[in-house]
Every structure is written in structure tokens, then in C-alpha cells.
Amino acid sequence: ITKPTIDLYRLVAMWSLFRSWEALTLRPAGVRFASKKGSGYTRNQGKNRTGKRLGLKKGDGQYVKPGHVIVRQRGTKFYSGKNVGMGRDHTLFSLVEGYVRFISHPRPGYPGKSWKYAEVKETPQHKKLILSHFRT
């Protein structure tokens, strides 16, 4: 006697699930796809916005004039040091002509954390004259 391909117990279990013998014998001819594109989930869409161009605008050791933006930021990631002003949107800008310097001071009571400052080291008067002489 050859063993049937499907167990009698399994067949009874499947019949109890489908409740009809026709459902057991019918097989789908193919897979049907949607004819229209689904609308999808729209609650979190609309976040494709342009960047705000934040970050460092002048690097360490770069030459700046008064009014040049050094850092654009949200909140105070960098604090203003000597010869640097802070705008109302926390933008750091140069107050004098000179070279940018970034320094950090350790935060007391927070090991491993530090405050970061941007400052401008003013160029001496004789160097300003030399620089202005070579500019056209």
C-alpha cells in the first residue's frame, strides 16, 4: 500500500479550518496585483524641506573682518569669546578684524564635557597696514 501524500489527520485539521472540502481542492490560478496605486500613509509626510545651512562658516585660523559670520547654530553649541558677538538666533560673528580661534574649557563637575568658545585674535595695527597695502 502506498502512503497518501497528505495525512488523514492533517486533512481533518484543514477541513476544520476551512469548513469546506472545495476550499481545500481549489488553488489560485495566479496572484492578482492592484490596478491603482495605494494612497499610503500620509500622516508623517511633508518633511522634505531645505536645510538651514547651520554649522561652522569660518575655520580655526581663518581671517575674518568685522561682521563676518563664524558659526550659525541653534542654541549655544559654541559660546562667544573675545571679540565675538552673538546674535539673537545664537549666530556668532566677528567684532574686529583678525583670525578665528576655537578654544574649549572643561566644565566643572562634568568630567569629559567642555564649553567651546570662538574668539577672534585681533591683528596688530602694523599687520593691518601691510595687508591693506597688498590688497587691490
Side-chain angles (χ1 to χ4, degrees), residues 55-70:
L56 294 177
K57 304 301 175 192
K58 299 289 181 182
D60 200 20
Q62 263 189 301
Y63 179 76
V64 290
K65 290 182 176 179
H68 279 197
V69 175
I70 300 167

Side-chain angles (χ1 to χ4, degrees), residues 80-125:
S80 57
K82 284 184 182 177
N83 302 319
V84 173
M86 186 183 290
R88 74 174 190 193
D89 64 344
H90 301 106
T91 297
L92 301 183
F93 56 91
S94 172
L95 296 173
V96 295
E97 194 173 349
Y99 293 91
V100 178
R101 214 174 122 210
F102 291 101
I103 54 174
S104 64
H105 291 291
R107 286 179 64 179
Y110 294 93
K113 301 266 184 179
S114 61
W115 285 308
K116 295 181 269 306
Y117 290 89
E119 65 180 28
V120 175
K121 187 167 167 67
E122 198 170 0
T123 42
Q125 191 63 35

Side-chain angles (χ1 to χ4, degrees), residues 3-62:
K3 190 173 180 184
T5 56
I6 191 160
D7 237 0
L8 185 61
Y9 294 110
R10 195 177 287 169
L11 191 63
V12 171
M14 289 167 85
W15 181 81
S16 64
L17 288 173
F18 291 106
R19 297 282 185 226
S20 73
W21 293 109
E22 291 82 21
L24 290 175
T25 56
L26 293 176
R27 288 190 175 169
V31 180
R32 183 152 186 244
F33 295 101
S35 58
K36 302 274 192 234
K37 189 177 177 184
S39 63
Y41 189 67
T42 59
R43 185 175 254 174
N44 278 336
Q45 289 181 1
K47 292 187 179 178
N48 273 347
R49 296 191 180 101
T50 53
K52 299 298 176 206
R53 275 81 171 169
L54 302 176
L56 294 177
K57 304 301 175 192
K58 299 289 181 182
D60 200 20
Q62 263 189 301

